[in-house]
């Protein structure tokens, strides 16, 4: 399974922010859309990632307020990225290794979407559920499983 499979199901809605935007505005966008991250874009290029982790740390560091803080000063300026062709197992390893909850998906320099650890976990569980159903159907339809001819063993 690849990242493209997740994005095909998830859809392509993207929320971005400018690095020079006030942090308060970015937080408002995150709250309005019930999202945990914003991709930080400047002149059409990915320059960072803002997640609730960076927001909380900024608020704590600023005495409980955001004040005049800009996104640029708190964003992760070296976020993990993947491509549409990246295997889900590799994404999972990368996210676990960096404790990343969100990962921008790039096609060369074009932002294609963002996947979350939840998206990855859901895709894995859905795939395992499908495989489980197929195996149960295979066993159920095994010759002799219906009470007819017994299955011969060697």
């Amino acid at each position: 399974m690849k990242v493209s499979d997740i994005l095909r199901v998830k859809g392509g809605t993207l929320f971005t922010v400018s690095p020079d935007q006030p942090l308060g505005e970015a937080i408002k966008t995150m709250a309005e859309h019930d999202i945990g991250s914003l991709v930080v874009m400047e002149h059409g290029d990915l320059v960072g990632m803002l997640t609730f982790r960076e927001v909380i740390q900024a608020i704590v560091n600023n005495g409980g307020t955001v004040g005049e803080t800009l996104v640029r000063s708190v964003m992760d300026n070296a976020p993990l990225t993947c491509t549409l062709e990246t295997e889900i197992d590799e994404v999972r390893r990368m996210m676990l290794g960096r404790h990343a909850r969100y990962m921008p998906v790039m096609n060369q320099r074009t932002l294609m979407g963002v996947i979350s650890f939840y998206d990855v976990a859901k895709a894995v569980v859905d795939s395992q559920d499908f495989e489980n159903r197929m195996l149960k159907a295979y066993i159920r339809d095994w010759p002799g499983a219906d009470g007819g001819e017994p299955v011969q063993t060697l």
Side-chain angles (χ1 to χ4, degrees):
M1 184 179 306
K2 296 183 180 186
V3 170
S4 58
D5 298 319
I6 291 178
L7 284 185
R8 189 174 18 265
V9 172
K10 181 178 180 176
T13 304
L14 292 171
F15 294 96
T16 63
V17 65
S18 160
D20 296 318
Q21 194 168 339
L23 182 59
E25 288 180 20
I27 293 170
K28 184 178 178 187
T29 299
M30 291 169 79
E32 286 174 350
H33 298 287
D34 191 26
I35 54 175
S37 69
L38 290 169
V39 180
V40 185
M41 301 289 288
E42 185 172 46
H43 308 298
D45 291 324
L46 169 74
V47 294
M49 193 76 175
L50 180 69
T51 71
F52 56 85
R53 180 181 289 159
E54 289 83 26
V55 169
I56 290 169
Q57 190 63 53
I59 291 170
V60 168
N61 292 344
N62 203 32
T65 66
V66 293
E68 301 298 313
T69 306
L70 297 179
V71 169
R72 181 183 303 279
S73 67
V74 300
M75 70 184 190
D76 175 356
N77 59 4
L80 286 174
T81 63
C82 61
T83 70
L84 293 169
E85 296 303 311
T86 307
E87 294 287 337
I88 295 304
D89 286 340
E90 177 64 17
V91 170
R92 189 170 43 182
R93 280 191 288 278
M94 292 166 63
M95 291 177 116
L96 286 170
R98 281 262 307 261
H99 297 262
R101 290 181 178 94
Y102 302 93
M103 186 181 290
V105 180
M106 305 297 292
N107 183 6
Q108 296 176 350
R109 292 180 59 212
T110 303
L111 177 65
M112 303 303 292
V114 174
I115 59 172
S116 68
F117 196 80
Y118 171 84
D119 298 329
V120 173
K122 183 178 182 320
V124 169
V125 168
D126 289 349
S127 175
Q128 289 172 345
D129 285 348
F130 176 74
E131 184 176 308
N132 192 329
R133 285 193 311 274
M134 293 298 105
L135 286 171
K136 285 180 179 177
Y138 179 75
I139 292 167
R140 184 188 64 236
D141 296 338
W142 189 267
D146 60 358
E149 288 277 325
V151 177
Q152 293 184 356
T153 57
L154 298 177

